[in-house]
Amino acid sequence: MEYDRTQLGFGTGARAPWAADPWASRGRLFSEPVSPTRSEFQRDRDRIVHTTAFRRLKHKTQVFVAHEGDHYRTRLTHTIEVAQIARALARALKLDEDLAEGVALVHDFGHTPFGHTGEEALAELLSGAGGFDHNAQSLRIVTALERRYADFDGLNLTWETLEGLVKHNGPLVGPDAAPVPEPILTYNASHDLWLGSHSGLEAQAAAIADDIAYNTHDIDDGLRSGLITLEMLEELPLIARLLSEVRGRYHDIEEPRLINEVMRRQITAMVEDIIAVTQANIARIKPESADDVRHAGQTMAHFSEEFATADRETKTFLYAHLYRHPEVMRVRESATRIVNDLFSAFMANPGAMGDKYSHAGFEDLSPALRMQRVSDYLSGMTDTYAIAAHRRLFDHTPELR
């Protein structure tokens, strides 16, 4: 699908009518004076970057545990790549780049140590107490658990950033929607985030940027690990076409350069496809405001049918050949054991969590609130901290390799 270059933004003109207006934000839960030097969304972005949760992403798994190699993506480098793509999409579509970047930077705050493995383990452990959802945990972090400011807990982010965070995958309320996680319902009761509507285009750009980033860099890391080969990628039509293009133009190209050329072309193709689809949706729906986007009844920033098929094929390929590879599964089993052991240890001896999480009154909490307190502590751990805590509390810690 072709995009209209004449309608692209390059960061030098005015925002489009359908963009979020940082000077007309719906505000923050706690009122604050306006900054004389930054927009409201710039302030959000800056607050996110300065958090403990952001720094912890450096030592949280994307696919491969960090000590398996210095060059694999971590949750932090993944987040930075998502933010770069989100900002590029926002610029092209004449949106607010700072809001798109802020939503991208905060979207994975709630991830546990050991990536999705840790999340699945905690979800199982908390199945009788509301489960565990990393989007809901991200909201808890930025509204309660980060304690940096004198006037409030959390970061006191704008309505628009919080909306983009909780509706990362679309509306949370509707006929086919899953139950809304309790942390989101609790916060929403005091700061209505319109859970039944779509998010603004900036948040939609951040969400689709997430798909682009991990589809490409998980392939790149899989190739680096040797669990995926270039020959295996020939079964993916989009990748096969790009491989043919690069090899046809650059004869005898070294493999590392070949891989990089294919990955960058894949990102470009997917970004241009989304721009074209979004432009077409804007022309058809004719939104005159950010709220028109929210009430359009559909996601406006998405892949065309051709690239949606390529996206599904890539995900299926990665699950079959990377995420469920025996070597990865062996590491996942060890990581699951570490999370389960730590959860049991902290429930039995809350003092092992330190004063911040086990202060007086823990024993007076309901079982569900005790589990949430332990979950807050455990989910905030980095891979390295979780391994060290396990070694401190247990005689034997599984090797994650």
Side-chain angles (χ1 to χ4, degrees), residues 73-338:
R73 270 76 172 185
T74 65
R75 191 64 60 173
L76 177 61
T77 55
H78 161 72
T79 294
I80 293 169
E81 291 181 26
V82 174
Q84 179 268 318
I85 296 170
R87 192 160 191 127
L89 287 169
R91 179 171 296 182
L93 296 168
K94 303 178 184 177
L95 307 175
D96 189 281
E97 296 177 40
D98 300 311
L99 176 57
E101 183 180 23
V103 174
L105 291 172
V106 78
H107 85 280
D108 268 354
F109 268 23
H111 265 293
T112 63
F114 315 122
H116 289 287
T117 301
E119 180 175 11
E120 291 170 10
L122 270 183
E124 177 65 26
L125 290 163
L126 296 167
S127 59
F132 181 86
D133 176 88
H134 77 264
N135 275 355
Q137 191 65 20
S138 295
L139 182 67
R140 277 185 59 73
I141 289 170
V142 300
T143 59
L145 299 181
E146 280 279 340
R147 294 175 180 171
R148 309 174 60 81
Y149 298 93
D151 292 328
F152 46 77
D153 290 338
L155 307 183
N156 198 33
L157 301 176
T158 61
W159 185 94
E160 290 80 4
T161 299
L162 294 175
E163 178 218 24
L165 172 59
V166 301
K167 292 190 279 189
H168 184 60
N169 296 314
L172 276 69
V173 175
D176 301 319
V180 181
E182 185 59 39
I184 295 177
L185 288 176
T186 299
Y187 183 81
N188 195 68
S190 57
H191 197 190
D192 185 1
L193 298 176
W194 296 10
L195 301 182
S197 74
H198 288 266
S199 59
L201 266 175
E202 288 84 359
Q204 292 184 33
I208 198 73
D210 190 21
D211 281 353
I212 295 173
Y214 74 71
N215 273 353
T216 50
H217 66 47
D218 285 2
I219 288 176
D220 191 18
D221 281 352
L223 289 166
R224 187 183 303 278
S225 72
L227 303 184
I228 293 174
T229 65
L230 288 171
E231 290 70 28
M232 293 164 64
L233 291 175
E234 295 282 358
E235 70 182 68
L236 295 172
L238 173 61
I239 303 294
R241 174 170 64 80
L242 296 174
L243 280 167
S244 178
E245 285 179 8
V246 175
R247 285 168 170 155
R249 182 170 181 178
Y250 303 101
H251 303 291
D252 301 321
I253 187 173
E254 307 148 79
E255 185 167 298
R257 293 180 190 267
L258 170 63
I259 292 169
N260 183 65
E261 286 295 325
V262 170
M263 293 300 100
R264 64 191 289 264
R265 281 168 169 74
Q266 183 183 13
I267 292 173
T268 297
M270 297 174 95
V271 165
E272 291 179 350
D273 180 74
I274 292 163
I275 291 170
V277 170
T278 309
Q279 284 182 337
N281 284 332
I282 289 169
R284 176 173 54 85
I285 296 170
K286 297 180 172 57
E288 296 181 0
S289 68
D291 282 353
D292 285 350
V293 172
R294 294 185 175 95
H295 298 307
Q298 67 168 81
T299 300
M300 293 178 63
H302 59 84
F303 292 121
S304 66
E305 185 175 341
E306 175 191 354
F307 276 81
T309 298
D311 177 59
R312 289 191 297 271
E313 290 170 343
T314 301
K315 286 180 169 64
T316 300
F317 175 90
L318 287 169
Y319 270 97
H321 298 292
L322 184 62
Y323 306 147
R324 294 295 183 265
H325 190 282
E327 290 187 25
V328 174
M329 292 301 294
R330 185 171 62 251
V331 173
R332 292 190 63 178
E333 289 171 6
S334 296
T336 298
R337 178 180 163 189
I338 290 173

